[in-house]
Amino acid sequence: LNAAVVYGYFPTVSEGNDLIILHHEGENKGKERVRFTFPRQSRDRRLCISDYFAAKDSGKTDVVAFHIVTMGSAVSDATAKLFAQNNYREYMELHGLSVQLTESLAEYWHGRIRQELKIDENDSLDLTEVFNQGYRGSRYSFGYPACPDLELQVALCELLQPERIGVELSEEFQLHPEQSTSAIIVHHPEAKYFNAN
């Protein structure tokens, strides 16, 4: 395994369903850098990820964190080799382990971001509670129900430049190596998982 993480904090404001990432320095400071458009629920509470950030017309600037984590290409190469050799049991075991380790690293780094943002004081110490979001905020991965559009990873990769840790985006907007995942980290106390469909 060659575990690695790239992450960052960015100034942001929201406008409707959009999350606008701002330049943080230079001659463009405070101007739009990239924009993420998230879907909104058509029923229930009509939630949208952008709702959890300060509105553009409030005059306030908020902060958003993003991260990409990976277990590296070596484990992908090893699983492909096992599969090609018809060692399906070993392939499934190694593949499953590497996927779980990727998710574990993502959750660990989400915890670190909560610490750095100083919002971890109410993190539950009970593992069952942690699985039930016993902490402030949420980690939304691209391709999942609250932000299903994988094409948003283009803007994410512009911000984080994950090639520094050996992660690339395919033409289908998938992260490679396979044992990699990305997320937007939302610090708002009411942010919980939801389905935008």
Side-chain angles (χ1 to χ4, degrees):
L1 300 176
N2 302 109
V5 178
V6 62
Y7 76 115
Y9 300 97
F10 301 89
T12 190
V13 292
S14 66
E15 185 176 50
N17 292 4
D18 294 350
L19 189 65
I20 304 167
I21 309 304
L22 307 172
H23 286 276
H24 65 282
E25 60 187 1
E27 61 185 40
N28 291 321
K29 184 176 181 177
K31 293 181 181 175
E32 182 173 331
R33 184 172 176 184
V34 296
R35 182 179 291 246
F36 293 86
T37 301
F38 295 107
R40 180 173 296 282
Q41 287 181 313
S42 59
R43 55 185 173 77
D44 299 326
R45 295 180 56 201
R46 298 195 36 80
L47 296 173
C48 179
I49 288 177
S50 62
D51 295 341
Y52 298 121
F53 294 92
K56 184 178 181 180
D57 60 11
S58 72
K60 298 177 183 176
T61 300
D62 212 332
V63 65
V64 62
F66 295 99
H67 76 205
I68 295 176
V69 306
T70 186
M71 285 296 119
S73 60
V75 71
S76 292
D77 295 343
T79 55
K81 184 177 178 182
L82 289 170
F83 189 85
Q85 295 171 343
N86 299 325
N87 291 329
Y88 300 121
R89 178 179 174 166
E90 290 83 356
Y91 160 78
M92 292 296 289
E93 289 173 350
L94 182 57
H95 183 271
L97 175 63
S98 63
V99 168
Q100 289 301 314
L101 287 172
T102 304
E103 182 61 23
S104 296
L105 180 57
E107 190 57 37
Y108 173 79
W109 215 262
H110 179 200
R112 177 168 169 163
I113 289 172
R114 290 195 309 274
Q115 289 173 344
E116 291 180 359
L117 290 172
K118 308 237 184 298
I119 61 168
D120 64 326
E121 67 276 356
N122 294 322
D123 281 12
S124 177
L125 299 177
D126 179 63
L127 188 57
T128 302
E129 284 298 312
V130 170
F131 289 142
N132 291 318
Q133 281 193 277
Y135 47 79
R136 178 175 164 177
S138 284
R139 172 175 60 94
Y140 299 100
S141 289
F142 293 91
Y144 284 86
C147 50
D149 186 1
L150 283 175
E151 195 168 345
L152 294 177
Q153 294 197 122
V154 172
L156 174 67
C157 289
E158 287 176 22
L159 292 172
L160 294 181
Q161 301 173 4
E163 60 275 4
R164 296 180 290 162
I165 60 168
V167 175
E168 297 177 349
L169 195 61
S170 74
E171 291 179 4
E172 297 83 24
F173 313 111
Q174 296 286 336
L175 295 174
H176 291 281
E178 179 187 355
Q179 290 82 356
S180 305
T181 191
S182 62
I184 174 174
I185 311 298
V186 179
H187 61 79
H188 195 285
E190 294 180 21
K192 298 296 178 192
Y193 296 125
F194 65 93
N195 190 333
N197 296 329

